[in-house]
Amino acid sequence: MPTLFTEIIEKNLPAYIIAEDAEHIAFLDIAPVAKGHTLVVPKKEVDYLFDLSDHVLGKLLTFTKKIALALEHAVPCQRIGMAVLGLEIPHAHIHLVPIQQEKDLNLQVPRLTPSHTDLSELAHQVKNLIKP
């Protein structure tokens, strides 16, 4: 059975996509811990990030860096925090979260409930800041 992320990749479910290429996709988390919380996902459905080959993982991290740099310009923050948990959905992914301090990367806090308009506008803003 395809994961939630595969359904998004295949465009069977809507998402606030901010970047996509042949092998990766990045989209805003609809229940973020902070404004700009983004998920970066390889399109190939692999459960555990560290089961990816070195080559594929390297390409994913290079793609992730582009997204992080754009987020940093779109959302006021000290840094973009990165987390790899992988227990909630069995599809490798990276969380990017704009943070002011380390404790802001806690993914167990109550989630925000941004509006469709807020997510759409932010997705558009970040998308326009991504450098090739």
Side-chain angles (χ1 to χ4, degrees):
M1 175 172 224
T3 68
L4 174 71
F5 293 163
T6 297
E7 293 293 328
I8 290 170
I9 292 162
E10 293 176 354
K11 309 297 191 277
N12 295 328
L13 290 175
Y16 299 93
I17 298 170
I18 58 175
E20 181 174 12
D21 65 16
E23 298 172 77
H24 315 97
I25 191 167
F27 50 90
L28 295 176
D29 192 312
I30 60 170
V33 297
K35 180 181 178 180
H37 181 172
T38 299
L39 299 166
V40 184
V41 182
K43 288 186 174 179
K44 181 179 180 187
E45 190 174 305
V46 173
D47 180 12
Y48 185 47
L49 186 77
F50 299 117
D51 284 339
L52 297 172
S53 72
D54 292 350
H55 177 72
V56 171
L57 181 59
K59 289 173 75 173
L60 176 63
L61 288 175
T62 299
F63 182 81
T64 300
K65 180 180 177 181
K66 290 180 191 179
I67 307 308
L69 293 173
L71 271 175
E72 199 169 30
H73 290 291
V75 179
C77 61
Q78 289 293 317
R79 305 251 181 195
I80 299 297
M82 184 171 86
V84 175
L85 300 174
L87 297 175
E88 63 280 8
I89 295 179
H91 191 137
H93 60 285
I94 296 171
H95 294 263
L96 293 177
V97 181
I99 62 172
Q100 299 301 332
Q101 49 194 340
E102 288 179 6
K103 70 178 185 173
D104 295 339
L105 195 54
N106 179 359
L107 300 179
Q108 300 303 311
V109 299
R111 300 296 184 109
L112 303 176
T113 54
S115 70
H116 166 73
T117 302
D118 290 341
L119 288 167
S120 292
E121 288 175 359
L122 182 57
H124 181 73
Q125 182 183 6
V126 175
K127 191 181 293 189
N128 287 332
L129 291 168
I130 295 172
K131 297 188 176 168

